[in-house]
Amino acid sequence: MILDIGGVSDVFSVTTMVSYTVSVDANGTGSGRITSDAGSIDYFYPAVSSATSTPLAIGSNVTLTATTDASSTVSWAGCGSTGGTDTVATCSFSGLDGNKSATASFKLNSYTVDALPPLVIEGSISPASQIVDYGSTASFNVIAEPEYTIVSVDGCGGMWAGGNSYVTGVITENCTVQASFTLNSYTIDTIAVAEQGSISPSYLHGVIHGDIVEFDITAEPGYDVDSVSGCGGSWDDSNPYTTAAITENCTVEATFVRTECSFYT
């Protein structure tokens, strides 16, 4: 450069400072924060998806850091070098010699929610396994076999409200759902006219599915047992009266007739 002042001129040299920038893009299903140790980059994804540093001198060293929230992991692309972990990951450029760009990809964590299979004879839970994103819930269908009843369903933070549907709590880790079942139980009532005779026991509660039960039939004086029926049994004119295998609530009924008197002459 030539500078002329009052007819006096001189030659000066001018040095232009060269600077570069670093641009950062973010994408993916997860979320987190991106910062830099130079160039004033600091933003949260997905609220903001990109940023460019302030001008950086040639030869500068820059490290970008992506820090996830609890729901995500992250990886870098386009870096000079990378480091850290999948939740606090670094991206570095050494000795800047041009504009640079890098991309941070955030991935929402997903977890396995399994159903602990019950005994086949008791019932079922479906599906057997699900892959669920962080913060979501999983639904299961719980079915008892005809002779069984669902007692409880639990696991993965859910609360069973009865019925065949179970919904977990918010999923934040791998977990397991399980159900328990019990054999159905039934009541057996009896019918007999008190002054004519009785059936013992007169009432049963909590008879387990498949059980066989015995009853004693007793006629009052002056009466004979006429018939006994109910709960799949058959009367052979002698105690005990034995039911078939119990599979539902049922009733045993006995009828009596007056004893026939014989007169001799």
Side-chain angles (χ1 to χ4, degrees):
M1 173 183 284
I2 300 175
L3 181 63
D4 189 334
I5 302 176
V8 179
S9 62
D10 204 349
V11 178
F12 296 87
S13 62
V14 177
T15 301
T16 302
M17 181 65 71
V18 177
S19 62
Y20 300 109
T21 59
V22 175
S23 300
V24 184
D25 293 322
N27 60 34
T29 57
S31 56
R33 181 183 184 184
I34 296 177
T35 59
S36 66
D37 63 354
S40 302
I41 294 175
D42 188 351
Y43 70 92
F44 288 89
Y45 176 80
V48 177
S49 60
S50 64
T52 299
S53 71
T54 56
L56 298 164
I58 186 173
S60 295
N61 298 324
V62 181
T63 296
L64 306 167
T65 301
T67 304
T68 68
D69 60 21
S71 70
S72 309
T73 57
V74 67
S75 61
W76 283 102
C79 308
S81 62
T82 58
T85 67
D86 62 359
T87 56
V88 182
T90 58
C91 169
S92 299
F93 295 100
S94 299
L96 284 182
D97 57 1
N99 295 326
K100 302 294 182 180
S101 62
T103 301
S105 296
F106 291 90
K107 181 181 179 181
L108 188 66
N109 293 334
S110 59
Y111 302 99
T112 301
V113 181
D114 291 320
L116 185 66
L119 295 175
V120 174
I121 61 171
E122 296 179 347
S124 62
I125 309 177
S126 61
S129 183
Q130 300 180 55
I131 302 300
V132 181
D133 286 339
Y134 180 100
S136 298
T137 60
S139 297
F140 291 87
N141 194 36
V142 184
I143 302 294
E145 289 298 313
E147 64 270 29
Y148 283 83
T149 297
I150 303 168
V151 175
S152 65
V153 188
D154 56 35
C156 301
M159 183 174 293
W160 183 54
N164 300 114
S165 179
Y166 181 75
V167 180
T168 68
V170 171
I171 300 300
T172 60
E173 61 183 350
N174 298 329
C175 59
T176 301
V177 170
Q178 61 183 359
S180 61
F181 303 83
T182 187
L183 272 170
N184 295 337
S185 62
Y186 309 103
T187 59
I188 300 179
D189 292 309
T190 64
I191 298 175
V193 178
E195 62 270 18
Q196 297 177 358
S198 63
I199 303 174
S200 179
S202 61
Y203 172 80
L204 287 174
H205 174 72
V207 178
I208 301 301
H209 183 97
D211 280 358
I212 294 173
V213 183
E214 294 181 344
F215 292 87
D216 287 327
I217 315 300
T218 303
E220 291 294 322
Y223 287 89
D224 291 324
V225 179
D226 182 34
S227 66
V228 187
S229 61
C231 300
S234 60
W235 174 245
D236 60 2
D237 296 324
S238 64
N239 281 313
Y241 175 78
T242 304
T243 69
I246 301 301
T247 59
E248 61 183 349
N249 298 329
C250 59
T251 301
V252 172
E253 181 175 7
T255 61
F256 304 87
V257 295
R258 284 191 175 275
T259 302
E260 293 183 359
C261 296
S262 298
F263 296 93
Y264 298 90
T265 57

